[in-house]
Amino acid sequence: MTAPFRFPRFFVTSPAPCPYLAGREERKVFTELNGEHAGELNEALSRIGFRRSQGVAYRPSCAGCTACVSVRVVADGFRANGTQRKLLRRHADLEVTACQPWATAEQFELLRRYLGRRHPGGGMAAMDESDYADMVELSPVQSVVVEYRAPTGPDGERGRLLGACLTDRQGDGLSMIYSFFDTEDESRPGLGNFIIMDHILCARAAGLPYVYLGYWVKGSPRMAYKTRYQPLEALGPRGWSLLSPDNLDIGGPPAVETAIEAGEE
């Protein structure tokens, strides 16, 4: 006889400055992912807009603001445009490997350079190797680190690490938790876009319907790139619906506060 499934306890963080929209504050609702049902809980929560960070599932719950919208690419419907096809051809020689979620010094060094160039003042800028190991290894669900390397040399030497993505595999798709890549190699433009497209193509090949891209934030230039991948679904008050570059009004996600036991962190 199996133990009954316990409904999780949810908590709410204190307000903090919003990293995406100036002058606003963010607040998150979250719960722990642990025990034998962690994977099932994570998948259920992802379908209503939660994201995973280590052993926690969280979602924005900001007073008076619904700008953060969960988005996912419909893998089977994706058709690369001309620019995207060019990137796929340019990086077709990369060696792609889905590795066990084990942090390496090479990955951390690439992440450190990426954060220094792209997000020097961000919340992850002060991460050390131990923090990175926690991000990768403290996963209660099925996760991999997808590595993107330059081709193996003629002498059999392993190619240089050019990109990586911590990815969760779910029953309905792939969830891209965090990706980073070489921003200094001018011969390898658009690596971030390539990594997303590679995940879309991998999901399609595996028969998985979606690739979860996290949150799109209307009005935030940092998040605008997510609308390039069509068809794109967004989570609104009536559930998931198509979001196109010509129609960027989706409304906020469905409310969860009435259905949870909320506490203050």
Side-chain angles (χ1 to χ4, degrees):
M1 180 176 178
T2 58
F5 181 80
R6 285 190 61 188
F7 192 79
R9 293 187 63 198
F10 289 82
F11 304 89
V12 179
T13 64
S14 300
C18 176
Y20 303 112
L21 299 176
R24 301 194 189 184
E25 290 187 328
E26 72 166 355
R27 191 182 66 163
K28 294 185 177 76
V29 60
F30 69 94
T31 189
E32 290 185 305
L33 299 170
N34 52 38
E36 61 179 314
H37 297 291
E40 298 170 54
L41 176 60
N42 184 57
E43 292 201 21
L45 291 175
S46 74
R47 296 188 181 104
I48 57 170
F50 280 75
R51 294 282 286 169
R52 185 184 70 80
S53 177
Q54 298 180 30
V56 169
Y58 69 92
R59 201 184 81 172
S61 180
C62 307
C65 180
T66 57
C68 291
V69 177
S70 295
V71 291
R72 64 188 186 185
V73 183
V74 182
D76 192 52
F78 174 74
R79 300 293 181 269
N81 60 30
T83 300
Q84 292 167 335
R85 288 195 298 271
K86 183 177 179 180
L87 282 176
L88 288 170
R89 291 193 297 270
R90 181 185 290 272
H91 301 306
D93 62 330
L94 292 184
E95 297 180 359
V96 184
T97 307
C99 307
Q100 291 297 315
W102 186 258
T104 69
E106 188 180 22
Q107 292 168 6
F108 176 71
E109 177 58 25
L110 179 61
L111 173 67
R112 189 188 62 79
R113 297 199 313 269
Y114 169 79
L115 292 173
R117 289 290 295 267
R118 289 294 180 91
H119 308 290
M124 296 176 64
M127 286 181 68
D128 59 21
E129 288 189 74
S130 177
D131 296 327
Y132 174 67
D134 287 346
M135 183 178 83
V136 172
E137 298 171 12
L138 297 183
S139 172
V141 302
Q142 185 179 354
S143 303
V144 295
V145 177
V146 185
E147 290 190 341
Y148 297 82
R149 292 184 175 276
T152 301
D155 57 354
E157 182 181 359
R158 196 180 192 193
R160 182 167 58 93
L161 183 66
L162 295 172
C165 184
L166 176 61
T167 303
D168 289 351
R169 170 147 183 171
Q170 302 177 177
D172 67 344
L174 302 176
S175 180
M176 298 180 67
I177 302 301
Y178 197 80
S179 63
F180 51 96
F181 47 89
D182 190 333
T183 61
E184 302 168 357
D185 188 342
E186 295 182 358
S187 70
R188 293 287 183 178
L191 278 172
N193 294 323
F194 175 79
I195 290 172
I196 292 174
M197 288 189 288
D198 180 67
H199 276 69
I200 296 171
L201 298 177
C202 286
R204 179 192 297 171
L208 298 172
Y210 303 113
V211 173
Y212 288 83
L213 298 183
Y215 300 111
W216 168 74
V217 184
K218 186 176 181 180
S220 172
R222 288 171 53 188
M223 294 296 179
Y225 72 92
K226 296 185 181 184
T227 62
R228 299 173 190 163
Y229 305 96
Q230 300 289 333
L232 187 70
E233 291 186 348
L235 181 62
R238 296 179 179 83
W240 293 92
S241 60
L242 288 175
L243 177 70
S244 73
D246 299 323
N247 178 23
L248 299 181
D249 290 312
I250 191 68
V256 295
E257 281 76 5
T258 57
I260 63 176
E261 177 187 352
E264 199 75 22
E265 184 188 46

